[in-house]
């Protein structure tokens, strides 16, 4: 049975990350620092631990989603999302991706998402057991896509190498 809920109903955490000075972000370090568009660098401390969906809150890729695990630092340009006990965080990854959150950004000089606005969005969701089955099913596709992309990348590199050998 699917029920209409708000994003607020599904999450125990749904908030912007923390401010971090650029001087604390380095090319290498113990903990990845996530911004709105992925990893910005590394720092020596973390703000989040466990499994989270990270939503890009600002910038050109506003609304993009990714699943992260472990100890990480989430900057103010990202939104940390974690399901409550009645829901599945991996399912939220796919739900939020489907919802195309970027469409809700404020269109200023720098596009941005307002957390309080997102929390009121409604969606239909099944019970947690079904959520887990759906996310496991979709994860197998993601793994296959990643594998195929790596094959494509390898074949493209091989083609380039053959061209260089043939025409040089």
């Amino acid at each position: 049975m699917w029920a209409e809920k708000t994003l607020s109903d599904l999450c125990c955490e749904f908030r912007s990350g923390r401010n971090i000075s650029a001087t604390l972000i380095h090319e290498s370090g113990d903990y990845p620092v996530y911004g709105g568009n992925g990893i910005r660098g590394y720092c020596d401390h973390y703000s989040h631990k466990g499994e989270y969906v990270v939503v890009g809150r600002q910038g050109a890729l506003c609304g993009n989603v990714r699943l992260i695990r472990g100890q990480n630092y989430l900057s103010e340009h990202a939104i940390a999302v974690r399901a409550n006990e009645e829901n599945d965080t991996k399912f939220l990854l796919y739900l939020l991706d489907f919802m195309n959150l970027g469409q809700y950004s404020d269109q200023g000089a720098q596009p941005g998402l307002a957390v309080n606005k997102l929390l009121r969005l409604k969606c239909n969701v099944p019970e947690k057991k079904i959520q887990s089955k759906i996310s496991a099913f979709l994860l197998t596709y993601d793994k296959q896509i990643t594998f195929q992309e790596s094959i494509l990348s390898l074949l493209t590199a091989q083609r380039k190498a053959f061209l260089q050998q043939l025409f040089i």
Side-chain angles (χ1 to χ4, degrees), residues 76-132:
E76 70 278 9
H77 300 291
I79 300 170
V81 179
R82 188 169 52 168
N84 58 27
E85 289 183 11
E86 291 128 26
N87 295 285
D88 183 90
T89 298
K90 289 182 194 82
F91 177 81
L92 291 179
L93 170 74
Y94 295 108
L95 175 66
L96 296 173
D97 185 37
F98 176 76
M99 291 176 75
N100 186 23
L101 297 179
Q103 69 180 312
Y104 302 106
S105 70
D106 298 325
Q107 297 300 323
Q110 175 89 348
L113 293 171
V115 170
N116 58 355
K117 185 177 176 182
L118 296 177
L119 285 170
R120 294 189 302 263
L121 294 177
K122 294 181 181 179
C123 53
N124 289 309
V125 296
E127 64 182 37
K128 185 176 182 177
K129 185 176 178 181
I130 302 299
Q131 290 179 20
S132 297

Side-chain angles (χ1 to χ4, degrees), residues 25-31 41-44:
I25 301 173
H26 309 287
E27 288 187 32
S28 62
D30 295 327
Y31 306 104
Y42 297 85
C43 67
D44 63 358

